[in-house]
Amino acid sequence: MAIEVDVLKRVPVREQEPKKRATNFEEVCLGYNLEEAQAEASRCINCKNAQCVKGCPVNIDIPGFISKVKEGDLAGAYEVISKYSALPAVCGRVCPQESQCECKCIRGIKGEPISIGKLERFVADWARENGVSPKVDVEKKNKKVAVIGSGPAGLTCAGDLAKMGYDVTIFEALHEAGGVLSYGIPEFRLPKRTVVAAEVENVKKLGVKIETNVVIGKATTIDELMEEEGFDAVFVGSGAGLPKFMGIAGENANGVFSANEYLTRSNLMKAFDESYDTPIVGGKKVAVVGGGNVAMDAARTALRLGAEVHIVYRRSEEELPARVEEVHHAKEEGIIFDLLTNPKEILVDENGAVSGMKVVKMELGEPDESGRRRPVEVPGSEFVLDVDTVIMSLGTSPNPLIASTTDGLETNKWGCIIAKEENGETTKKGVYAGGDSVTGAATVILAMGAGKAAASGIDAYLSK
């Protein structure tokens, strides 16, 4: 039976029921089937001056691939997408389309925008399930490029350079490739063994080599890569993995995590799987401090490990920086939101473990330099939140190891590598950078855009 399409409304996407998914690590969103995807694609009016493309950091020909879906030419749709993106199955799941391509969709002016992300995911999943890989047939260049980090920036830069004919090697510090895609985003949002592993494999099929367990700055340095190992250029896409804390009493107690550590243990070390000997403090009552996507990921992971979970955020719901979809899913699953609330102290028992968290209520005052109303404490409103585990999700900054071991590579006052936005060029000749190592923590798709820009910059540099 054909799906009846209302051009003003999206075709709904299937999801696991909230009560069921809160007890497992299987993917929440089930995606479109062919009939649903074609119905949604039929809503696209195929604008000649497509604003959605302008909202995409990697400039995918969105009307082009959607037209192919409408026609049922899924191989053609994948070919269009893979010209621009090395990670379509990832982007279709985790990119904030609502603030990028979809928010510029003309169909969204008088109705709901096209579900661009869900369609991209559908095409990429179809390609993976049917053994379709990106096509590449280029003349090889006698130039070597090193890419530091196998996250979205590194994979994108490496893939684009390989398509240009360069000999590319990625150096990854951890034992599995994928960077934040592997260790930072939970399985229920981004499956590792299927989606991430397949996207990494597609990059390798382009000819990219990946060496894991190589910490640049310890095992070797950028200077050594260029001077001793013959690399003609280097791209730094090492991300921002250094967590921030509040500096309040009790932060060194047993049961206090950074969100990075908590998610890495759960994802990469499979601490959620009882058959793995990787400890993680599950906690019966968990407080996650912060309101971004990483905070939602940590909170929803703790929930699946059996805890009652509180999100503690000092501003109001309207100012939560997390995606609306992630907040909605968290609420559906039963996570408690303690908004306009700020930690003052983590209480510690005689064994050095968390025994609670002293918090204070906040109210919004005058706008600060960012334009958001500044939260101020409400006098006399302190109380103790009954928790045994605290996860700090307050943002991250780049690890200083790479810059501190590289002559001539300058950073700013936040420890981020100084690089030109248009091409990733740094202060050291032949070294380019992009993604979170330059901007601080941001989104997967912005990191990909930076990797793409740097690949073009490296190509221009090596073609002189």
Side-chain angles (χ1 to χ4, degrees):
M1 182 178 174
I3 295 175
E4 190 172 323
V5 178
D6 180 343
V7 296
L8 298 181
K9 291 187 177 180
R10 292 177 161 183
V11 174
V13 66
R14 292 165 290 117
E15 296 178 344
Q16 275 200 77
E17 289 294 323
K19 286 185 179 179
K20 179 182 178 183
R21 70 181 189 238
T23 64
N24 65 58
F25 279 82
E26 295 169 15
E27 196 166 10
V28 170
C29 179
L30 304 178
Y32 284 144
N33 59 29
L34 176 58
E35 186 180 31
E36 292 163 342
Q38 287 189 288
E40 180 63 18
S42 72
R43 298 179 56 234
C44 178
I45 57 179
N46 200 21
C47 307
K48 290 183 178 179
N49 183 22
Q51 298 301 303
C52 55
V53 176
K54 297 177 182 178
C56 174
V58 294
N59 301 118
I60 292 173
D61 178 6
I62 294 169
F65 97 77
I66 290 179
S67 292
K68 295 289 186 183
V69 173
K70 200 183 305 184
E71 297 164 8
D73 180 7
L74 303 185
Y78 182 71
E79 188 174 347
V80 171
I81 295 174
S82 60
K83 287 179 183 176
Y84 304 89
S85 174
L87 308 170
V90 169
C91 289
R93 287 169 164 82
V94 303
C95 283
Q97 292 96 3
E98 68 277 3
S99 62
Q100 294 176 335
C101 55
E102 291 179 7
C103 80
K104 294 184 178 296
C105 175
I106 300 301
R107 174 60 77 193
I109 294 175
K110 292 186 178 180
E112 294 178 346
I114 306 300
S115 291
I116 297 168
K118 298 296 188 291
L119 289 175
E120 181 181 17
R121 168 192 165 146
F122 168 75
V123 171
D125 286 355
W126 176 89
R128 182 182 69 253
E129 291 160 6
N130 288 274
V132 178
S133 300
K135 297 176 182 177
V136 60
D137 183 20
V138 296
E139 185 178 341
K140 297 294 182 183
K141 295 179 173 136
N142 189 28
K143 299 280 187 178
K144 288 173 60 179
V145 181
V147 171
I148 301 172
S150 64
L155 290 171
T156 299
C157 185
D160 278 16
L161 287 169
K163 290 175 185 176
M164 298 173 191
Y166 292 99
D167 180 356
V168 185
T169 302
I170 294 176
F171 296 96
E172 167 58 46
L174 296 176
H175 63 278
E176 282 187 25
V180 69
L181 308 176
S182 291
Y183 66 76
I185 302 175
E187 186 78 8
F188 54 82
R189 277 218 297 140
L190 184 62
K192 309 296 177 282
R193 294 177 185 174
T194 51
V195 174
V196 176
E199 301 277 59
V200 171
E201 192 59 34
N202 279 339
V203 172
K204 290 168 72 174
K205 286 177 182 177
L206 297 173
V208 175
K209 297 179 285 293
I210 301 179
E211 294 188 20
T212 56
N213 299 309
V214 180
V215 180
I216 302 299
K218 285 192 175 290
T220 187
T221 65
I222 288 177
D223 294 326
E224 289 169 346
L225 288 173
M226 300 182 79
E227 295 167 10
E228 298 176 17
E229 298 191 37
F231 285 96
D232 300 286
V234 175
F235 172 73
V236 182
S238 51
L242 189 64
K244 297 178 182 176
F245 287 85
M246 293 186 69
I248 59 176
E251 281 186 325
N252 293 324
N254 294 328
V256 179
F257 294 86
S258 70
N260 275 35
E261 178 189 0
Y262 194 81
L263 290 169
T264 299
R265 283 175 180 258
S266 178
N267 289 328
L268 204 57
M269 301 177 180
K270 299 179 176 61
F272 62 85
D273 188 334
E274 292 182 1
S275 67
Y276 279 79
D277 187 20
T278 306
I280 189 170
V281 178
K284 297 299 182 185
K285 293 186 177 181
V286 176
V288 178
V289 181
N293 290 324
V294 176
M296 299 303 143
D297 286 344
R300 296 171 69 198
T301 295
L303 181 80
R304 284 158 171 78
L305 292 173
E308 173 188 294
V309 184
H310 296 249
I311 290 279
V312 178
Y313 182 60
R314 65 182 185 149
R315 287 185 160 97
S316 66
E317 181 169 352
E318 290 72 25
E319 293 166 301
L320 280 168
R323 294 182 69 188
V324 171
E325 181 181 51
E326 300 309 316
V327 174
H328 171 67
H329 283 158
K331 284 184 173 181
E332 279 189 327
E333 291 166 7
I335 286 170
I336 301 160
F337 282 73
D338 293 319
L339 302 172
L340 291 169
T341 304
N342 202 40
K344 295 284 285 183
E345 179 186 352
I346 296 170
L347 306 178
V348 184
D349 66 18
E350 64 276 9
N351 297 315
V354 174
S355 62
M357 186 166 69
K358 186 182 292 185
V359 298
V360 63
K361 297 301 291 182
M362 310 292 284
E363 60 185 8
L364 296 180
E366 295 300 314
D368 61 17
E369 58 276 3
S370 70
R372 295 190 299 176
R373 292 173 64 193
R374 186 189 300 274
V376 294
E377 292 186 9
V378 176
S381 64
E382 286 188 4
F383 65 99
V384 173
L385 197 60
D386 179 21
V387 295
D388 57 21
T389 304
V390 177
I391 302 171
M392 292 291 183
S393 183
L394 305 169
T396 54
S397 59
N399 190 311
L401 181 62
I402 290 175
S404 66
T405 57
T406 306
D407 289 337
L409 188 62
E410 295 180 10
T411 58
N412 62 21
K413 63 181 180 180
W414 297 284
C416 297
I417 296 171
I418 297 171
K420 294 179 180 177
E421 184 178 350
E422 64 271 19
N423 63 4
E425 183 182 2
T426 70
T427 54
K428 183 176 178 67
K429 186 177 180 181
V431 177
Y432 292 71
D436 293 2
S437 63
V438 171
T439 61
T443 63
V444 167
I445 190 65
L446 288 176
M448 290 176 63
K452 184 173 275 295
S456 295
I458 291 170
D459 180 49
Y461 167 71
L462 294 179
S463 298
K464 290 178 182 177

